[in-house]
Amino acid sequence: MGTVFSLDARGVGVDPDAVDAAIRWLHWVDRTFSTYQPDSVVSRLSRGELTVDECPAEVREVLGLVRVASIASDGYFSEAPHGFLDPTGIVKGWAVERASDMLVAAGSTSHVVNGGGDVQLVGEAGAGRPWRVGVAHPLRPRQLVAVVTASDVAVATSGTAERGRHIVDPHRGAPADALASVTVVGPRLAWVDASATAAFAMGPDRGLAWIEGQPGLEALAVLPTGRTRHTTGFTQWAALTD
């Protein structure tokens, strides 16, 4: 998936084998869904060497989620934004969310699974201490634009800071350029991740209005000028640094 993953499991009673299993799961997802590896299932499916029915059940599950996201976002979330099958706008969040669920099933009540800055938070960082997640400023290296303070939520950011203008507006067939980043906070990372991608493709006006209509989601947008805008409930989760 072209990024770094980390797991921070705290507290007692968590089987170390569960952490190893979650790591193995993330490696399996990368091998299966990678658009960089020509022998991955997704690459072979995109070239027509496999049918959907010949793919693992997890691939069919993700493609179903992609279709739901596309319909919900009026096509701004696309399964083929670059002209070939590329579900990575939802896969990373889905994989992190599933890894978190594996840890919960193994008894973890306090952990963070982080995929390239997109995180699923469970429980608290310590007794009475919620997790704190810094949101990188897309235009000011090594600075934060906000700090999310929360328990049992997910946070995802889509933007230009790490990979440039890589998010495509499917309706124009060109990179979206009206935003520098969008950060979304909500309950579950798969949908939070997909919503951040869709809102970025929509641009600030439509994107924030769309997020406002999604139950449980809030968002912060950074414009190319550095100005920020956010949904009405975003500050219940986060403090802006400016």
Side-chain angles (χ1 to χ4, degrees):
M1 287 176 277
T3 191
V4 176
F5 287 72
S6 65
L7 293 83
D8 181 355
R10 303 185 181 186
V12 298
V14 180
D15 185 349
D17 290 343
V19 176
D20 292 338
I23 292 171
R24 288 195 300 272
W25 157 255
L26 292 170
H27 281 292
W28 182 86
V29 171
D30 187 48
R31 291 193 303 272
T32 302
F33 288 91
S34 174
T35 59
Y36 303 106
Q37 301 180 42
D39 59 345
S40 74
V41 172
V42 161
S43 293
R44 295 176 64 200
L45 179 62
S46 182
R47 293 194 300 268
E49 297 172 7
L50 293 174
T51 67
V52 172
D53 289 340
E54 293 173 322
C55 295
E58 291 85 354
V59 173
R60 298 193 294 273
E61 177 184 348
V62 165
L63 293 179
L65 293 174
V66 167
R67 286 190 289 272
V68 170
S70 179
I71 292 169
S73 65
D74 192 28
Y76 278 94
F77 190 94
S78 171
E79 70 174 18
H82 304 285
F84 56 87
L85 180 63
D86 182 2
T88 51
I90 203 169
V91 164
K92 183 173 65 173
W94 169 82
V96 167
E97 182 182 314
R98 183 71 61 87
S100 174
D101 288 344
M102 294 169 69
L103 295 177
V104 169
S108 174
T109 59
S110 177
H111 65 255
V112 174
V113 184
N114 182 332
D118 297 340
V119 298
Q120 183 76 54
L121 312 173
V122 170
E124 297 180 319
R129 292 192 299 113
W131 297 101
R132 288 168 53 84
V133 179
V135 179
H137 199 299
L139 304 174
R140 301 172 190 168
R142 296 179 296 280
Q143 292 189 32
L144 300 179
V145 68
V147 177
V148 177
T149 303
S151 303
D152 296 312
V153 299
V155 184
T157 298
S158 292
T160 60
E162 298 296 328
R163 297 173 56 193
R165 293 170 56 192
H166 69 286
I167 299 173
V168 172
D169 174 356
H171 293 281
R172 294 192 299 119
D177 57 7
L179 285 167
S181 71
V182 173
T183 297
V184 177
V185 181
R188 303 286 288 178
L189 190 55
W191 183 238
V192 166
D193 189 16
S195 297
T197 300
F200 189 95
M202 291 177 186
D205 295 330
R206 183 166 188 162
L208 289 177
W210 181 72
I211 292 291
E212 290 272 14
Q214 303 302 307
L217 298 188
E218 301 292 345
L220 168 70
V222 181
L223 279 63
T225 61
R227 291 181 56 244
T228 61
R229 294 174 56 185
H230 56 79
T231 55
T232 53
F234 182 78
T235 52
Q236 72 175 309
W237 297 111
L240 302 181
T241 59
D242 286 344

